[in-house]
Amino acid sequence: MLHHEGSSFHPLAPSALRIEHLLDRAPAQVDVDALRAHLRKQCVMLTGAGGSIGRVLAKKLLDLKPTKLILVDFSEFHLFRLEQSLRKHNPDIELVFKLVDVRHTTAVDQLLDEHAPQVIFHAAAYKHVPMMEFHPVQAFENNTLASVNLLRAAEQHSVEQFIFISTDKAVDPSSVMGTTKRLTEWYVRAANGTMRTKTVRFGNVFGSLGSVVPTFIEQILEGGPVTVTHADMERFFMGVDDACCLILQTLLYSTAPVFTLRMDPAVKILTLAQRMIDVLAPQKDIPIKFIGVRAGEKMREQLWSANETPLTTPHRDILGLNGPAIFSRLELDERIDFLQALAAAQAQERLKTALFEADFVAQTS
């Protein structure tokens, strides 16, 4: 929950603002010794390594000392910045930086053939909900098709574990971004062979690029107004350290196909905005402006669907989510082929409609 108004609180520089300053919840912690033992002599690959989560996760992976860490990103700038940051930290671990678009199957196949990773963390994705409403082809190709191609390649190259980073927006989705993540969750669940596949489902990652927190900081420093979509809109929040803990700790668990963090209660965006104003500009009268719910957004998110059952895990902050597999691999392959044809034809609106058709079996059989 948010700190009460009577809590002792001191103004902070924006760069020092952290989730624990606004929520009464300490960051989740990983079992470092168990993870080091698990990753010892392992080659690990991380996609989206230059993003908000990827950069922090890469540093935490270095601390766990795998034999080799392959860091993949499609952004030249993000990959360069990551390399500059990591090279000086741990020279005794083999670091490989690869500028690769995971949508390209040949490049992915060559990458796995050359380095033979045993563990893949797949974090690369488009995540901006309103923007993806207007770019369904790009959302499908980057969030779903690239993930499918990477998973298929991982199966062919005998990868041991494949961990997919998803979002609460995949639960009963109202957005294109959410539907692309939901479809990928289904596909990860239906993987072939002996490879262990898991999905970790995030809430809103506090302070990540493009998220509400950096936007609010910028608006507060400019004197406002701070733009809030709706007075009653709520979100689940987690810190970057929480997100990395969830991803890493899940390596040790096999009791459920999906894992998520305990993030109750959800936080009203309006309350978050008010609290950030109190922290960053306590002596100023910063106005708040309501701008209306944007395309694809829900008033409230869910961490699991009606057919999923939350289960405890050995970690107090992590829940497993168990439920039936929705579709078979054959059904999903047929659907992916259908959607890929629409994407190839740049049929934006038809593809957008098709992504929401969860009962697609009759249409593809």
Side-chain angles (χ1 to χ4, degrees), residues 328-348:
S328 70
R329 175 65 172 263
L330 177 61
E331 291 164 343
L332 290 165
D333 280 334
E334 290 176 345
R335 187 59 174 181
I336 293 296
D337 288 345
F338 171 68
L339 295 171
Q340 189 172 2
L342 293 177
Q346 290 294 305
Q348 297 273 5

Side-chain angles (χ1 to χ4, degrees), residues 9-50:
F9 227 88
H10 300 285
L12 300 166
S15 61
L17 190 67
R18 296 172 62 85
I19 191 170
E20 55 265 35
H21 297 139
L22 299 174
L23 306 180
D24 285 327
R25 188 174 72 231
Q29 301 295 318
V30 296
D31 186 340
V32 173
D33 292 338
L35 285 167
R36 278 183 179 164
H38 186 84
L39 291 177
R40 183 172 175 266
K41 297 184 179 180
Q42 298 268 317
C43 174
V44 177
M45 186 173 103
L46 169 62
T47 72

Side-chain angles (χ1 to χ4, degrees), residues 192-324:
N192 289 329
T194 60
M195 182 174 69
R196 287 172 289 162
T197 60
K198 302 164 189 176
T199 290
V200 294
R201 198 177 282 159
F202 285 1
N204 281 32
V205 179
F206 187 89
S208 61
L209 293 174
S211 68
V212 67
V213 171
T215 300
F216 282 177
I217 290 174
E218 183 177 351
Q219 291 173 341
I220 291 167
L221 295 182
E222 290 177 350
V226 174
T227 55
V228 174
T229 51
H230 193 285
D232 295 325
M233 182 171 282
E234 295 179 346
R235 289 294 181 264
F236 292 104
F237 280 94
M238 61 197 304
V240 175
D241 287 336
D242 289 329
C244 292
C245 172
L246 176 60
I247 295 167
L248 293 169
Q249 200 70 26
T250 300
L251 276 172
L252 305 176
Y253 303 148
S254 299
T255 55
V258 180
F259 294 90
T260 193
L261 199 73
R262 295 181 187 269
M263 287 177 277
D264 288 332
V267 176
K268 283 190 176 182
I269 302 299
L270 174 59
T271 308
L272 177 68
Q274 291 168 332
R275 193 68 216 136
M276 289 181 65
I277 292 170
D278 290 344
V279 173
L280 295 176
Q283 307 302 322
K284 295 182 180 180
D285 184 18
I286 304 292
I288 291 175
K289 178 182 178 181
F290 295 101
I291 60 173
V293 179
R294 297 173 300 175
E297 290 185 322
K298 291 181 182 179
M299 290 294 292
R300 295 170 182 84
E301 300 288 358
Q302 304 161 255
L303 292 173
W304 55 83
S305 62
N307 64 359
E308 291 177 318
T309 303
L311 309 169
T312 59
T313 70
H315 196 292
R316 67 179 185 180
D317 295 321
I318 295 174
L319 292 171
L321 301 175
N322 216 346

Side-chain angles (χ1 to χ4, degrees), residues 71 73 75-83 97-99:
L71 300 164
D73 205 283
S75 167
E76 176 194 29
F77 172 71
H78 286 166
L79 195 66
F80 170 77
R81 186 173 60 170
L82 182 67
E83 182 171 11
F97 296 87
K98 286 291 185 178
L99 188 65

Side-chain angles (χ1 to χ4, degrees), residues 121-185:
F121 296 101
H122 181 40
Y126 288 146
K127 64 181 184 179
H128 196 275
V129 169
M131 184 177 292
M132 291 304 101
E133 289 301 298
F134 301 102
H135 299 88
V137 167
Q138 291 77 8
F140 167 73
E141 289 180 339
N142 199 56
N143 290 2
T144 304
L145 190 57
S147 305
V148 166
N149 291 337
L150 180 60
L151 186 137
R152 289 170 177 168
E155 291 172 339
Q156 293 295 317
H157 288 83
S158 302
V159 172
E160 295 174 11
Q161 283 208 67
F162 184 99
I163 297 180
F164 169 63
I165 286 76
S166 189
T167 169
D168 55 4
K169 293 164 182 61
V171 181
D172 298 331
S174 62
S175 64
V176 166
M177 194 278 269
T179 64
T180 61
K181 288 287 193 173
R182 177 178 64 173
L183 184 54
T184 306
E185 283 194 14

